[in-house]
C-alpha cells in the first residue's frame, strides 16, 4: 500500500519548469511512497537537496473510506 504526498516547491527564479503554479509556490509534485516510508526524511533528503529548490510545503493524503480491519 502506498501513501500519496503532494509537495509544493519554491525554486530559484528561472528554474521552475513543468506544470508551474501561480501563487506562493512554483511547482506542485506528487510522490507515491511506501506506507512505512519516513516522509520527512524523503522530503528533506530527496526533494529539498535538488538543485535550485529553495523551500517546500508537504501535504500528506489519506483515505477516510478504507474498510476497517482489513
Amino acid at each position: 500500500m502506498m501513501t500519496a504526498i503532494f509537495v509544493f516547491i519554491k525554486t530559484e527564479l528561472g528554474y521552475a519548469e513543468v506544470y508551474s503554479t501561480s501563487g506562493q509556490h512554483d511547482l506542485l509534485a506528487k510522490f507515491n511512497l511506501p506506507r512505512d516510508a519516513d516522509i520527512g526524511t524523503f522530503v528533506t533528503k530527496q526533494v529539498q537537496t535538488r538543485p535550485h529548490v529553495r523551500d517546500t510545503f508537504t501535504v500528506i493524503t489519506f483515505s477516510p473510506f478504507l474498510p476497517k480491519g482489513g
Side-chain angles (χ1 to χ4, degrees):
M1 179 128 324
M2 302 294 269
T3 298
I5 66 169
F6 292 87
V7 181
F8 290 96
I9 302 170
K10 288 184 183 180
T11 65
E12 292 177 15
L13 187 61
Y15 288 96
E17 292 185 26
V18 181
Y19 300 108
S20 295
T21 63
S22 63
Q24 295 181 2
H25 299 89
D26 302 313
L27 302 172
L28 175 61
K30 179 182 178 185
F31 300 97
N32 290 303
L33 304 178
R35 280 261 184 228
D36 61 346
D38 185 314
I39 294 168
T41 299
F42 172 80
V43 172
T44 58
K45 291 190 174 184
Q46 302 297 321
V47 180
Q48 292 178 345
T49 58
R50 305 298 301 171
H52 312 293
V53 169
R54 290 185 15 221
D55 192 20
T56 61
F57 179 83
T58 303
V59 177
I60 302 169
T61 66
F62 64 93
S63 177
F65 304 109
L66 291 177
K68 295 188 185 233

